[in-house]
Amino acid sequence: MIKKDEAERVIRHLCHEWARESGIPREPVDQPSFFDFKSWLSMKGYSHYLNFRSVMGANYDAERWFDEEFKQTWRN
């Protein structure tokens, strides 16, 4: 299990790596999919960054960070 602050730093970075690999523009016109991002994390061997302690749950926090990175927090 990793620390939450380390997971946040890495996940926020990986959001942009995933977007670059997926051809998603820096300012996306569509809503990038957290589900697709999670699949990419698993495929690339990064899923362990979703294994941290969190009051709301690691997936909840990771999706919130993802939404913040892509400026789509209005969805929540």
Side-chain angles (χ1 to χ4, degrees):
M1 186 169 298
I2 64 171
K3 294 187 179 209
K4 184 178 176 180
D5 61 337
E6 178 186 357
E8 179 178 4
R9 183 178 45 78
V10 172
I11 288 172
R12 287 182 183 275
H13 170 76
L14 290 173
C15 283
H16 300 286
E17 291 295 316
W18 168 77
R20 198 171 7 265
E21 276 190 29
S22 301
I24 297 171
R26 186 113 172 108
E27 296 287 329
V29 269
D30 294 326
Q31 298 172 22
S33 167
F34 180 69
F35 179 77
D36 291 345
F37 174 67
K38 274 184 63 176
S39 295
W40 180 84
L41 288 176
S42 290
M43 183 180 72
K44 294 289 189 172
Y46 296 130
S47 59
H48 62 282
Y49 287 109
L50 296 174
N51 187 17
F52 58 89
R53 290 189 179 176
S54 168
V55 173
M56 297 300 289
N59 278 327
Y60 177 88
D61 286 338
E63 186 169 6
R64 185 172 46 84
W65 301 330
F66 178 89
D67 288 343
E68 288 171 359
E69 289 301 307
F70 292 108
K71 297 174 180 41
Q72 57 185 17
T73 54
W74 54 270
R75 297 184 326 148
N76 301 329

